Amino acid sequence: MHRIQRTARSARTTSTTSTARTTGTARTTTSLVAVTASAALLLTACGEGAKGSAGGAGGPVRVGLITKTDTNPFFVKMKEGAEQAAKKSGAELSTAAGKFDGDNEGQVTAIENMVAAGVKGILITPNDSKAIVPAIEQARKKGVLVIALDSPTDPQDAADALFATDNLKAGELIGRYAKAVTAGKPARIATLDLAPGVAVGQLRHDGFLKGFGIEEGDPALVCSQDTGGDQAKGQTAMENCLQKAPDVNVVYTINEPAALGAYTALKAKGREKDVLIVSVDGGCTGTNAVKDRKIAATSQQYPLLMAAKGVEAVVAYAKNGTKASGYVDTGVTLVTDAPAPGVPAKDTAYGLDNCWG
């Protein structure tokens, strides 16, 4: 039997639509709290009132947040944003998370429990964009508003709306930056990617190529390795690329852990000062790495804003029937202390004021 624990508090590629370019950021940190069909589901409720309702006269609006994991700093910040918005609006927030990035079964269980508990809306970062769809469809049939955060469902319109970063744009910004910085020099580019078939990785990769002004197969691309967004795998990937192409001078990475892994490998070869590393995410660790000049620039996304807007949308739906739909771009900013001509950017002071983790 699933256990529901409540506590009361006073309280980040196609052109079919503009939204198809927005999928979630790569997450690799494993949660310490298991949420699976065979294990106890932990739901934590916060907000005004211990006996909330779906938003009628009997109590506050109930909102559910289901993240991929609950220890990854990106999702910690997302939860923080949802909690702040719930407190501000007087809503009651219940949260759940998967045991690991990819735990679809745990998320299905969370949806079922939240619907049974009477939530008016569910915010979810899908672990499996396709496999989660049947559970979402069942929730929507029962009048629950479902908003995907960070990562879209597949198909995207399986959820009522998507609040997320434009990952193609995030990649394009760092591609434009790298092109401007290396202007006039022959580029020897290594791409440290996510994994085959993962949309966020493909979008960021494609955006980087677009921003740099090249296409797949260009001779400037001398090495491509998958990292899973992991620091240790990023280091190994960079070591492999240095063996294959010792003259690499530009490194694109799917996220900042992979970038720091690449930096470690380059430093071991005495190459850390003459290779340009660019990345995506904008977590506090990554932003500090930009400040320390380990990473030249990163595209920062905003998980707190995704969640806050999601809570606001559910409250609006409960109170006046306004239903969020389509894609809402939650923004991306290039962060660097060495700006390049023609590429808009903010410095690391701004980045640290807005980072997560």
mmCIF file of all heavy atoms in Angstrom, residues 280-326:
data_model
loop_
_atom_site.group_PDB
_atom_site.id
_atom_site.type_symbol
_atom_site.label_atom_id
_atom_site.label_comp_id
_atom_site.label_asym_id
_atom_site.label_seq_id
_atom_site.Cartn_x
_atom_site.Cartn_y
_atom_site.Cartn_z
ATOM 1 N N VAL A 280 25.886 24.255 -21.502
ATOM 2 C CA VAL A 280 24.495 24.651 -21.274
ATOM 3 C C VAL A 280 24.074 24.211 -19.879
ATOM 4 O O VAL A 280 24.468 23.146 -19.416
ATOM 5 C CB VAL A 280 23.541 24.003 -22.305
ATOM 6 C CG1 VAL A 280 22.085 24.408 -22.035
ATOM 7 C CG2 VAL A 280 23.923 24.356 -23.732
ATOM 8 N N ASP A 281 23.284 24.991 -19.205
ATOM 9 C CA ASP A 281 22.520 24.703 -17.979
ATOM 10 C C ASP A 281 22.464 25.903 -17.044
ATOM 11 O O ASP A 281 21.397 26.343 -16.683
ATOM 12 C CB ASP A 281 23.014 23.484 -17.219
ATOM 13 C CG ASP A 281 22.197 22.245 -17.548
ATOM 14 O OD1 ASP A 281 21.243 22.363 -18.327
ATOM 15 O OD2 ASP A 281 22.513 21.162 -17.033
ATOM 16 N N GLY A 282 23.621 26.404 -16.578
ATOM 17 C CA GLY A 282 23.603 27.571 -15.706
ATOM 18 C C GLY A 282 23.390 27.267 -14.249
ATOM 19 O O GLY A 282 22.951 28.130 -13.483
ATOM 20 N N GLY A 283 23.707 26.023 -13.814
ATOM 21 C CA GLY A 283 23.688 25.725 -12.393
ATOM 22 C C GLY A 283 24.780 26.512 -11.676
ATOM 23 O O GLY A 283 25.695 27.053 -12.302
ATOM 24 N N CYS A 284 24.693 26.590 -10.359
ATOM 25 C CA CYS A 284 25.673 27.402 -9.613
ATOM 26 C C CYS A 284 27.091 26.860 -9.752
ATOM 27 O O CYS A 284 28.052 27.628 -9.889
ATOM 28 C CB CYS A 284 25.263 27.475 -8.146
ATOM 29 S SG CYS A 284 23.705 28.349 -7.877
ATOM 30 N N THR A 285 27.248 25.532 -9.730
ATOM 31 C CA THR A 285 28.579 24.950 -9.912
ATOM 32 C C THR A 285 29.128 25.303 -11.288
ATOM 33 O O THR A 285 30.293 25.698 -11.426
ATOM 34 C CB THR A 285 28.531 23.423 -9.746
ATOM 35 O OG1 THR A 285 28.100 23.113 -8.416
ATOM 36 C CG2 THR A 285 29.890 22.805 -9.988
ATOM 37 N N GLY A 286 28.295 25.178 -12.301
ATOM 38 C CA GLY A 286 28.724 25.508 -13.657
ATOM 39 C C GLY A 286 29.020 26.975 -13.831
ATOM 40 O O GLY A 286 29.991 27.358 -14.500
ATOM 41 N N THR A 287 28.197 27.835 -13.232
ATOM 42 C CA THR A 287 28.415 29.280 -13.342
ATOM 43 C C THR A 287 29.708 29.676 -12.642
ATOM 44 O O THR A 287 30.452 30.547 -13.123
ATOM 45 C CB THR A 287 27.219 30.047 -12.772
ATOM 46 O OG1 THR A 287 26.024 29.628 -13.442
ATOM 47 C CG2 THR A 287 27.386 31.546 -12.971
ATOM 48 N N ASN A 288 29.999 29.059 -11.503
ATOM 49 C CA ASN A 288 31.276 29.317 -10.831
ATOM 50 C C ASN A 288 32.445 28.844 -11.689
ATOM 51 O O ASN A 288 33.520 29.458 -11.669
ATOM 52 C CB ASN A 288 31.308 28.626 -9.472
ATOM 53 C CG ASN A 288 30.714 29.490 -8.369
ATOM 54 O OD1 ASN A 288 31.078 30.655 -8.233
ATOM 55 N ND2 ASN A 288 29.798 28.932 -7.595
ATOM 56 N N ALA A 289 32.238 27.767 -12.447
ATOM 57 C CA ALA A 289 33.291 27.302 -13.355
ATOM 58 C C ALA A 289 33.531 28.306 -14.480
ATOM 59 O O ALA A 289 34.661 28.456 -14.951
ATOM 60 C CB ALA A 289 32.922 25.937 -13.930
ATOM 61 N N VAL A 290 32.479 28.994 -14.890
ATOM 62 C CA VAL A 290 32.651 30.079 -15.869
ATOM 63 C C VAL A 290 33.426 31.224 -15.231
ATOM 64 O O VAL A 290 34.352 31.785 -15.832
ATOM 65 C CB VAL A 290 31.281 30.578 -16.386
ATOM 66 C CG1 VAL A 290 31.467 31.780 -17.312
ATOM 67 C CG2 VAL A 290 30.543 29.468 -17.136
ATOM 68 N N LYS A 291 33.082 31.558 -14.003
ATOM 69 C CA LYS A 291 33.782 32.621 -13.288
ATOM 70 C C LYS A 291 35.265 32.291 -13.123
ATOM 71 O O LYS A 291 36.128 33.179 -13.229
ATOM 72 C CB LYS A 291 33.139 32.821 -11.913
ATOM 73 C CG LYS A 291 33.741 33.956 -11.099
ATOM 74 C CD LYS A 291 33.018 34.115 -9.773
ATOM 75 C CE LYS A 291 33.629 35.247 -8.956
ATOM 76 N NZ LYS A 291 32.922 35.411 -7.651
ATOM 77 N N ASP A 292 35.564 31.014 -12.900
ATOM 78 C CA ASP A 292 36.952 30.574 -12.717
ATOM 79 C C ASP A 292 37.671 30.324 -14.044
ATOM 80 O O ASP A 292 38.812 29.868 -14.059
ATOM 81 C CB ASP A 292 36.989 29.289 -11.888
ATOM 82 C CG ASP A 292 36.503 29.513 -10.455
ATOM 83 O OD1 ASP A 292 36.522 30.667 -10.002
ATOM 84 O OD2 ASP A 292 36.093 28.521 -9.816
ATOM 85 N N ARG A 293 36.985 30.594 -15.153
ATOM 86 C CA ARG A 293 37.525 30.443 -16.515
ATOM 87 C C ARG A 293 37.818 28.989 -16.890
ATOM 88 O O ARG A 293 38.606 28.734 -17.799
ATOM 89 C CB ARG A 293 38.787 31.312 -16.709
ATOM 90 C CG ARG A 293 38.567 32.813 -16.438
ATOM 91 C CD ARG A 293 37.527 33.403 -17.371
ATOM 92 N NE ARG A 293 37.236 34.801 -17.081
ATOM 93 C CZ ARG A 293 37.795 35.832 -17.715
ATOM 94 N NH1 ARG A 293 38.667 35.610 -18.679
ATOM 95 N NH2 ARG A 293 37.461 37.068 -17.395
ATOM 96 N N LYS A 294 37.193 28.052 -16.212
ATOM 97 C CA LYS A 294 37.296 26.658 -16.637
ATOM 98 C C LYS A 294 36.390 26.412 -17.840
ATOM 99 O O LYS A 294 36.704 25.622 -18.728
ATOM 100 C CB LYS A 294 36.924 25.721 -15.490
ATOM 101 C CG LYS A 294 37.874 25.785 -14.299
ATOM 102 C CD LYS A 294 37.413 24.870 -13.173
ATOM 103 C CE LYS A 294 38.357 24.931 -11.988
ATOM 104 N NZ LYS A 294 37.880 24.073 -10.865
ATOM 105 N N ILE A 295 35.237 27.063 -17.830
ATOM 106 C CA ILE A 295 34.297 27.054 -18.948
ATOM 107 C C ILE A 295 34.209 28.487 -19.455
ATOM 108 O O ILE A 295 34.113 29.426 -18.662
ATOM 109 C CB ILE A 295 32.899 26.567 -18.501
ATOM 110 C CG1 ILE A 295 32.976 25.182 -17.861
ATOM 111 C CG2 ILE A 295 31.924 26.573 -19.671
ATOM 112 C CD1 ILE A 295 31.662 24.728 -17.226
ATOM 113 N N ALA A 296 34.246 28.668 -20.770
ATOM 114 C CA ALA A 296 34.235 30.026 -21.314
ATOM 115 C C ALA A 296 32.859 30.672 -21.214
ATOM 116 O O ALA A 296 32.738 31.865 -20.910
ATOM 117 C CB ALA A 296 34.695 30.012 -22.772
ATOM 118 N N ALA A 297 31.814 29.896 -21.480
ATOM 119 C CA ALA A 297 30.457 30.437 -21.468
ATOM 120 C C ALA A 297 29.465 29.302 -21.307
ATOM 121 O O ALA A 297 29.729 28.155 -21.677
ATOM 122 C CB ALA A 297 30.177 31.206 -22.757
ATOM 123 N N THR A 298 28.295 29.632 -20.751
ATOM 124 C CA THR A 298 27.212 28.656 -20.652
ATOM 125 C C THR A 298 25.886 29.339 -20.921
ATOM 126 O O THR A 298 25.746 30.553 -20.704
ATOM 127 C CB THR A 298 27.195 27.984 -19.257
ATOM 128 O OG1 THR A 298 26.334 26.849 -19.289
ATOM 129 C CG2 THR A 298 26.743 28.931 -18.176
ATOM 130 N N SER A 299 24.924 28.585 -21.401
ATOM 131 C CA SER A 299 23.567 29.090 -21.594
ATOM 132 C C SER A 299 22.749 28.700 -20.372
ATOM 133 O O SER A 299 22.568 27.513 -20.100
ATOM 134 C CB SER A 299 22.949 28.497 -22.865
ATOM 135 O OG SER A 299 23.505 29.072 -24.024
ATOM 136 N N GLN A 300 22.262 29.694 -19.652
ATOM 137 C CA GLN A 300 21.580 29.450 -18.379
ATOM 138 C C GLN A 300 20.062 29.344 -18.564
ATOM 139 O O GLN A 300 19.445 30.164 -19.233
ATOM 140 C CB GLN A 300 21.885 30.581 -17.400
ATOM 141 C CG GLN A 300 21.333 30.376 -15.999
ATOM 142 C CD GLN A 300 21.807 31.434 -15.031
ATOM 143 O OE1 GLN A 300 21.434 32.602 -15.166
ATOM 144 N NE2 GLN A 300 22.622 31.045 -14.069
ATOM 145 N N GLN A 301 19.483 28.321 -17.927
ATOM 146 C CA GLN A 301 18.032 28.157 -17.943
ATOM 147 C C GLN A 301 17.486 28.298 -16.527
ATOM 148 O O GLN A 301 18.249 28.343 -15.559
ATOM 149 C CB GLN A 301 17.643 26.821 -18.558
ATOM 150 C CG GLN A 301 18.305 25.623 -17.942
ATOM 151 C CD GLN A 301 17.925 24.340 -18.665
ATOM 152 O OE1 GLN A 301 16.976 24.294 -19.427
ATOM 153 N NE2 GLN A 301 18.657 23.286 -18.412
ATOM 154 N N TYR A 302 16.134 28.319 -16.378
ATOM 155 C CA TYR A 302 15.529 28.772 -15.132
ATOM 156 C C TYR A 302 14.423 27.839 -14.628
ATOM 157 O O TYR A 302 13.234 28.076 -14.853
ATOM 158 C CB TYR A 302 15.008 30.197 -15.320
ATOM 159 C CG TYR A 302 16.101 31.112 -15.816
ATOM 160 C CD1 TYR A 302 16.163 31.501 -17.151
ATOM 161 C CD2 TYR A 302 17.134 31.510 -14.964
ATOM 162 C CE1 TYR A 302 17.198 32.301 -17.610
ATOM 163 C CE2 TYR A 302 18.171 32.304 -15.415
ATOM 164 C CZ TYR A 302 18.205 32.695 -16.744
ATOM 165 O OH TYR A 302 19.243 33.476 -17.199
ATOM 166 N N PRO A 303 14.803 26.767 -13.917
ATOM 167 C CA PRO A 303 13.812 25.801 -13.430
ATOM 168 C C PRO A 303 12.822 26.375 -12.420
ATOM 169 O O PRO A 303 11.663 25.967 -12.381
ATOM 170 C CB PRO A 303 14.670 24.703 -12.809
ATOM 171 C CG PRO A 303 15.971 25.376 -12.469
ATOM 172 C CD PRO A 303 16.170 26.383 -13.555
ATOM 173 N N LEU A 304 13.264 27.321 -11.586
ATOM 174 C CA LEU A 304 12.366 27.926 -10.609
ATOM 175 C C LEU A 304 11.202 28.602 -11.315
ATOM 176 O O LEU A 304 10.040 28.477 -10.906
ATOM 177 C CB LEU A 304 13.134 28.925 -9.735
ATOM 178 C CG LEU A 304 12.378 29.527 -8.543
ATOM 179 C CD1 LEU A 304 13.350 29.843 -7.408
ATOM 180 C CD2 LEU A 304 11.624 30.782 -8.932
ATOM 181 N N LEU A 305 11.496 29.302 -12.398
ATOM 182 C CA LEU A 305 10.459 30.011 -13.145
ATOM 183 C C LEU A 305 9.481 29.043 -13.800
ATOM 184 O O LEU A 305 8.277 29.290 -13.831
ATOM 185 C CB LEU A 305 11.105 30.907 -14.206
ATOM 186 C CG LEU A 305 10.175 31.818 -15.000
ATOM 187 C CD1 LEU A 305 9.446 32.785 -14.071
ATOM 188 C CD2 LEU A 305 10.974 32.595 -16.051
ATOM 189 N N MET A 306 9.998 27.931 -14.315
ATOM 190 C CA MET A 306 9.118 26.927 -14.921
ATOM 191 C C MET A 306 8.048 26.481 -13.935
ATOM 192 O O MET A 306 6.855 26.432 -14.245
ATOM 193 C CB MET A 306 9.930 25.704 -15.355
ATOM 194 C CG MET A 306 10.920 25.926 -16.461
ATOM 195 S SD MET A 306 11.828 24.379 -16.770
ATOM 196 C CE MET A 306 13.228 25.019 -17.702
ATOM 197 N N ALA A 307 8.486 26.132 -12.735
ATOM 198 C CA ALA A 307 7.569 25.605 -11.730
ATOM 199 C C ALA A 307 6.618 26.678 -11.213
ATOM 200 O O ALA A 307 5.429 26.416 -11.003
ATOM 201 C CB ALA A 307 8.359 24.993 -10.577
ATOM 202 N N ALA A 308 7.134 27.877 -10.977
ATOM 203 C CA ALA A 308 6.288 28.955 -10.467
ATOM 204 C C ALA A 308 5.167 29.276 -11.445
ATOM 205 O O ALA A 308 3.996 29.425 -11.060
ATOM 206 C CB ALA A 308 7.134 30.195 -10.196
ATOM 207 N N LYS A 309 5.513 29.362 -12.719
ATOM 208 C CA LYS A 309 4.490 29.622 -13.734
ATOM 209 C C LYS A 309 3.485 28.473 -13.818
ATOM 210 O O LYS A 309 2.299 28.681 -14.062
ATOM 211 C CB LYS A 309 5.148 29.861 -15.094
ATOM 212 C CG LYS A 309 5.823 31.220 -15.240
ATOM 213 C CD LYS A 309 6.359 31.410 -16.643
ATOM 214 C CE LYS A 309 6.893 32.818 -16.856
ATOM 215 N NZ LYS A 309 5.817 33.832 -16.817
ATOM 216 N N GLY A 310 3.971 27.266 -13.610
ATOM 217 C CA GLY A 310 3.087 26.104 -13.631
ATOM 218 C C GLY A 310 2.057 26.151 -12.522
ATOM 219 O O GLY A 310 0.866 25.902 -12.747
ATOM 220 N N VAL A 311 2.491 26.468 -11.303
ATOM 221 C CA VAL A 311 1.568 26.577 -10.177
ATOM 222 C C VAL A 311 0.541 27.672 -10.442
ATOM 223 O O VAL A 311 -0.668 27.496 -10.212
ATOM 224 C CB VAL A 311 2.332 26.856 -8.866
ATOM 225 C CG1 VAL A 311 1.351 27.208 -7.736
ATOM 226 C CG2 VAL A 311 3.170 25.650 -8.467
ATOM 227 N N GLU A 312 1.010 28.811 -10.930
ATOM 228 C CA GLU A 312 0.099 29.922 -11.234
ATOM 229 C C GLU A 312 -0.962 29.503 -12.257
ATOM 230 O O GLU A 312 -2.131 29.888 -12.143
ATOM 231 C CB GLU A 312 0.897 31.112 -11.766
ATOM 232 C CG GLU A 312 1.795 31.771 -10.727
ATOM 233 C CD GLU A 312 2.803 32.733 -11.346
ATOM 234 O OE1 GLU A 312 2.748 32.926 -12.587
ATOM 235 O OE2 GLU A 312 3.628 33.285 -10.591
ATOM 236 N N ALA A 313 -0.552 28.695 -13.231
ATOM 237 C CA ALA A 313 -1.478 28.256 -14.271
ATOM 238 C C ALA A 313 -2.547 27.326 -13.694
ATOM 239 O O ALA A 313 -3.726 27.404 -14.070
ATOM 240 C CB ALA A 313 -0.717 27.551 -15.388
ATOM 241 N N VAL A 314 -2.159 26.435 -12.777
ATOM 242 C CA VAL A 314 -3.131 25.522 -12.167
ATOM 243 C C VAL A 314 -4.121 26.301 -11.299
ATOM 244 O O VAL A 314 -5.334 26.035 -11.315
ATOM 245 C CB VAL A 314 -2.425 24.438 -11.331
ATOM 246 C CG1 VAL A 314 -3.453 23.589 -10.581
ATOM 247 C CG2 VAL A 314 -1.570 23.550 -12.220
ATOM 248 N N VAL A 315 -3.627 27.264 -10.546
ATOM 249 C CA VAL A 315 -4.503 28.077 -9.702
ATOM 250 C C VAL A 315 -5.504 28.851 -10.555
ATOM 251 O O VAL A 315 -6.699 28.922 -10.230
ATOM 252 C CB VAL A 315 -3.671 29.031 -8.821
ATOM 253 C CG1 VAL A 315 -4.577 30.039 -8.095
ATOM 254 C CG2 VAL A 315 -2.849 28.242 -7.802
ATOM 255 N N ALA A 316 -5.033 29.414 -11.659
ATOM 256 C CA ALA A 316 -5.931 30.147 -12.558
ATOM 257 C C ALA A 316 -7.004 29.221 -13.121
ATOM 258 O O ALA A 316 -8.178 29.595 -13.231
ATOM 259 C CB ALA A 316 -5.128 30.791 -13.687
ATOM 260 N N TYR A 317 -6.614 28.012 -13.474
ATOM 261 C CA TYR A 317 -7.560 27.029 -14.012
ATOM 262 C C TYR A 317 -8.622 26.676 -12.974
ATOM 263 O O TYR A 317 -9.822 26.582 -13.284
ATOM 264 C CB TYR A 317 -6.790 25.779 -14.427
ATOM 265 C CG TYR A 317 -7.643 24.618 -14.864
ATOM 266 C CD1 TYR A 317 -8.560 24.738 -15.906
ATOM 267 C CD2 TYR A 317 -7.511 23.380 -14.236
ATOM 268 C CE1 TYR A 317 -9.342 23.655 -16.308
ATOM 269 C CE2 TYR A 317 -8.278 22.293 -14.634
ATOM 270 C CZ TYR A 317 -9.197 22.438 -15.665
ATOM 271 O OH TYR A 317 -9.960 21.363 -16.052
ATOM 272 N N ALA A 318 -8.192 26.503 -11.723
ATOM 273 C CA ALA A 318 -9.126 26.140 -10.661
ATOM 274 C C ALA A 318 -10.094 27.271 -10.354
ATOM 275 O O ALA A 318 -11.275 27.041 -10.064
ATOM 276 C CB ALA A 318 -8.351 25.767 -9.399
ATOM 277 N N LYS A 319 -9.623 28.498 -10.451
ATOM 278 C CA LYS A 319 -10.446 29.632 -10.031
ATOM 279 C C LYS A 319 -11.365 30.179 -11.116
ATOM 280 O O LYS A 319 -12.471 30.625 -10.832
ATOM 281 C CB LYS A 319 -9.535 30.745 -9.496
ATOM 282 C CG LYS A 319 -8.865 30.346 -8.178
ATOM 283 C CD LYS A 319 -8.089 31.496 -7.570
ATOM 284 C CE LYS A 319 -7.575 31.109 -6.182
ATOM 285 N NZ LYS A 319 -6.815 32.206 -5.527
ATOM 286 N N ASN A 320 -10.888 30.165 -12.371
ATOM 287 C CA ASN A 320 -11.738 30.758 -13.414
ATOM 288 C C ASN A 320 -11.823 29.940 -14.697
ATOM 289 O O ASN A 320 -12.375 30.400 -15.699
ATOM 290 C CB ASN A 320 -11.264 32.189 -13.738
ATOM 291 C CG ASN A 320 -9.803 32.226 -14.172
ATOM 292 O OD1 ASN A 320 -9.322 31.338 -14.869
ATOM 293 N ND2 ASN A 320 -9.088 33.279 -13.747
ATOM 294 N N GLY A 321 -11.275 28.731 -14.668
ATOM 295 C CA GLY A 321 -11.388 27.861 -15.826
ATOM 296 C C GLY A 321 -10.414 28.145 -16.947
ATOM 297 O O GLY A 321 -10.448 27.479 -17.987
ATOM 298 N N THR A 322 -9.512 29.107 -16.752
ATOM 299 C CA THR A 322 -8.513 29.417 -17.770
ATOM 300 C C THR A 322 -7.514 28.271 -17.872
ATOM 301 O O THR A 322 -6.844 27.926 -16.898
ATOM 302 C CB THR A 322 -7.746 30.711 -17.425
ATOM 303 O OG1 THR A 322 -8.676 31.778 -17.295
ATOM 304 C CG2 THR A 322 -6.730 31.036 -18.511
ATOM 305 N N LYS A 323 -7.423 27.669 -19.042
ATOM 306 C CA LYS A 323 -6.567 26.488 -19.217
ATOM 307 C C LYS A 323 -5.320 26.840 -20.020
ATOM 308 O O LYS A 323 -5.413 27.322 -21.154
ATOM 309 C CB LYS A 323 -7.334 25.371 -19.916
ATOM 310 C CG LYS A 323 -6.537 24.087 -20.100
ATOM 311 C CD LYS A 323 -7.347 22.984 -20.743
ATOM 312 C CE LYS A 323 -8.335 22.379 -19.783
ATOM 313 N NZ LYS A 323 -8.952 21.138 -20.337
ATOM 314 N N ALA A 324 -4.138 26.620 -19.426
ATOM 315 C CA ALA A 324 -2.884 26.850 -20.138
ATOM 316 C C ALA A 324 -2.795 25.903 -21.326
ATOM 317 O O ALA A 324 -3.248 24.762 -21.258
ATOM 318 C CB ALA A 324 -1.707 26.628 -19.198
ATOM 319 N N SER A 325 -2.191 26.368 -22.409
ATOM 320 C CA SER A 325 -2.045 25.516 -23.585
ATOM 321 C C SER A 325 -0.805 25.926 -24.368
ATOM 322 O O SER A 325 -0.292 27.039 -24.216
ATOM 323 C CB SER A 325 -3.278 25.623 -24.491
ATOM 324 O OG SER A 325 -3.440 26.944 -24.965
ATOM 325 N N GLY A 326 -0.313 25.009 -25.210
ATOM 326 C CA GLY A 326 0.835 25.316 -26.060
ATOM 327 C C GLY A 326 2.132 25.414 -25.284
ATOM 328 O O GLY A 326 2.292 24.858 -24.197
#
